[in-house]
Amino acid sequence: KKRRKERQMRFQAGATAAPAEPPSALDSIYSALSSSRDGESSFGSKKKKKSKHVGNGFVGTNQSLEKPYLRLTTFPKAEDVRPLPVLERALQHIKARYHTEEDFAWANEQLKSVRQDMTVQGLRNAFVLEVYETHARLALEEGELNEYNQCQTKIKELTLGTGAGGASSSAGDDDAVALTPSKKKSKKSNKSSMKLIRQDEDVADEFAGYRLLYALVQKNWGDVNKELKVAATMISAEDRRVHEEKERDERMSGCRHAQLVVNAMVQCDYHAFFVLYENAPHMSCYLMDFLLNRIRCGAYERIIAAFRPSISVESIRETLKFRDLEETRQFLKSSGAVFVKESGGAPPFFVDTKTSKNSS
């Protein structure tokens, strides 16, 4: 909640009256985030599907909706594991409580516990996918990239089959302790465990966009190139033409948005970046938060090189979307900017761009 309020303040501070066009993109972000907590949104499944029990034959008997997450050292007893019907009710319980209390620490532990119970039973169905999608979105909202990446890796394995059978970045939690009561596995079990789960097109586009942005945040250019190829296959030529005509002023697909963010970062097009930031679909803005300092540093170098003899602190604040003038001055000081001295010891309102350029 604090992160969302800070982001709202950043774009509201110093804002001038704007013509009555469609609601601001930032409003759309928060509207989408709020709606993501109801039953007809991307926070859960758009359509409730009956989950088919696909597992390894082990079925738990625990009936608790809440259960603490404990790292396993041995295969658990049936009375310590919840079966699929109970897990489905537990997920709805977690969503409902998080909607009202927004207690991420509690929700994170409970979702990890649900994931652990699914793992030890070898479940692989639409419900499993829903759990990981839900946890990924919560982790994004909280800025927990490690937790998000564990979920992202599992979602990719469930829907695309990548990472199966090898070490993955999800190692270290319940996915890494897939203990089984027997070493023998039937061919039927192996075949079902590798069956891919179909993801809704809109959700697939959403998470493909997240994967591309995450690779960009991590500066993993190999993965950036791979995800760009995936994104390209998900966007038809017609879609691309339509999006180009809209010139980034309306909500777009997650993949297309992520592609444009990559272009803006590579070219240090900070104007385009902040337009995309305000118009980010789904929860992409939370990943873009981790790119803010990088784009601002590149923008600062270009601004002090382009403007002479000075530029106002307010102009920089508005261009780079800082919360207020004090935050802007702190950034400028850390970047080595030289201010024009004001009489009477007043806070500086202008940056001496020529001196700042020579001192950088």
Side-chain angles (χ1 to χ4, degrees):
K1 186 181 294 185
K2 181 180 178 183
R3 285 164 56 82
R4 292 198 296 277
K5 287 182 178 179
E6 287 180 352
R7 187 179 292 101
Q8 284 177 319
M9 290 173 60
R10 181 182 301 135
F11 286 95
Q12 290 172 355
T16 57
E21 293 183 353
S24 74
L26 195 67
D27 290 338
S28 299
I29 293 173
Y30 289 102
S31 175
L33 187 57
S34 297
S35 66
S36 71
R37 298 193 181 110
D38 60 45
E40 297 181 7
S41 71
S42 59
F43 191 82
S45 316
K46 290 189 176 180
K47 293 182 180 180
K48 186 67 177 177
K49 297 180 180 179
K50 187 175 181 180
S51 299
K52 184 179 179 181
H53 193 304
V54 179
N56 55 18
F58 174 76
V59 180
T61 59
N62 190 297
Q63 299 297 307
S64 303
L65 291 183
E66 295 185 19
K67 187 167 76 78
Y69 169 73
L70 300 173
R71 190 174 297 279
L72 298 179
T73 56
T74 60
F75 193 80
K77 299 177 181 178
E79 56 265 30
D80 296 327
V81 178
R82 293 166 291 183
L84 180 59
V86 177
L87 292 175
E88 290 174 334
R89 295 197 300 273
L91 179 62
Q92 297 308 314
H93 170 68
I94 294 168
K95 288 183 184 181
R97 179 167 166 179
Y98 184 79
H99 176 79
T100 56
E101 299 181 12
E102 296 198 0
D103 184 350
F104 176 75
W106 173 85
N108 184 56
E109 181 187 32
Q110 292 302 312
L111 285 168
K112 287 173 73 72
S113 180
V114 169
R115 287 162 51 184
Q116 185 178 74
D117 286 352
M118 295 188 306
T119 299
V120 296
Q121 295 176 95
L123 298 180
R124 188 183 180 92
N125 51 32
F127 171 73
V128 174
L129 184 59
E130 180 185 354
V131 170
Y132 280 96
E133 289 170 351
T134 300
H135 202 174
R137 293 188 181 102
L138 281 183
L140 278 182
E141 184 176 358
E142 193 67 18
E144 292 286 343
L145 287 189
N146 288 337
E147 199 67 58
Y148 159 75
N149 189 45
Q150 291 176 11
C151 298
Q152 167 188 261
T153 302
K154 186 65 176 181
I155 291 170
K156 193 172 182 180
E157 186 256 308
L158 289 169
T159 59
L160 303 177
T162 54
S168 73
S169 55
S170 62
D173 74 342
D174 51 275
D175 302 293
V177 281
L179 304 173
T180 55
S182 173
K183 294 183 179 180
K184 295 182 180 180
K185 294 184 179 180
S186 66
K187 293 181 179 179
K188 183 178 180 180
S189 175
N190 285 330
K191 185 176 180 180
S192 65
S193 67
M194 294 305 296
K195 183 178 179 181
L196 299 183
I197 303 170
R198 185 180 181 281
Q199 199 171 25
D200 179 84
E201 288 185 6
D202 290 339
V203 178
D205 171 81
E206 174 190 353
F207 278 90
Y210 294 158
R211 290 198 304 271
L212 179 51
L213 290 176
Y214 177 80
L216 184 62
V217 169
Q218 298 298 322
K219 297 184 180 180
N220 189 332
W221 297 106
D223 281 354
V224 167
N225 289 330
K226 291 177 183 177
E227 295 301 336
L228 280 172
K229 292 178 181 178
V230 173
T233 62
M234 300 182 71
I235 302 174
S236 67
E238 178 63 20
D239 287 338
R240 192 176 295 111
R241 181 186 65 78
V242 171
H243 288 312
E244 288 172 352
E245 289 176 355
K246 290 185 178 180
E247 296 181 346
R248 296 188 294 265
D249 58 359
E250 295 182 17
R251 288 180 69 88
M252 63 185 74
S253 75
C255 280
R256 181 57 179 160
H257 174 267
Q259 284 180 321
L260 294 174
V261 172
V262 172
N263 292 342
M265 290 296 297
V266 170
Q267 300 168 12
C268 197
D269 186 347
Y270 49 92
H271 287 293
F273 177 88
F274 284 107
V275 170
L276 291 163
Y277 186 46
E278 291 185 271
N279 288 275
H282 309 297
M283 306 183 77
S284 296
C285 58
Y286 290 100
L287 282 164
M288 293 180 72
D289 280 346
F290 293 92
L291 299 171
L292 284 176
N293 189 62
R294 198 188 311 176
I295 195 72
R296 283 169 173 166
C297 289
Y300 167 77
E301 297 293 337
R302 284 157 177 75
I303 289 172
I304 63 170
F307 288 84
R308 289 291 183 275
S310 63
I311 184 173
S312 69
V313 176
E314 171 59 27
S315 294
I316 296 176
R317 186 211 68 76
E318 184 178 355
T319 300
L320 302 186
K321 305 300 181 186
F322 284 105
R323 188 183 307 110
D324 50 38
L325 290 176
E326 185 57 36
E327 184 185 24
T328 311
R329 292 189 184 100
Q330 290 177 1
F331 168 79
L332 292 171
K333 287 178 183 177
S334 65
S335 300
V338 178
F339 295 98
V340 177
K341 292 184 179 180
E342 300 291 337
S343 59
F349 287 99
F350 291 90
V351 174
D352 185 333
T353 53
K354 183 176 181 180
T355 306
S356 298
K357 176 66 175 175
N358 293 335
S359 63
S360 61

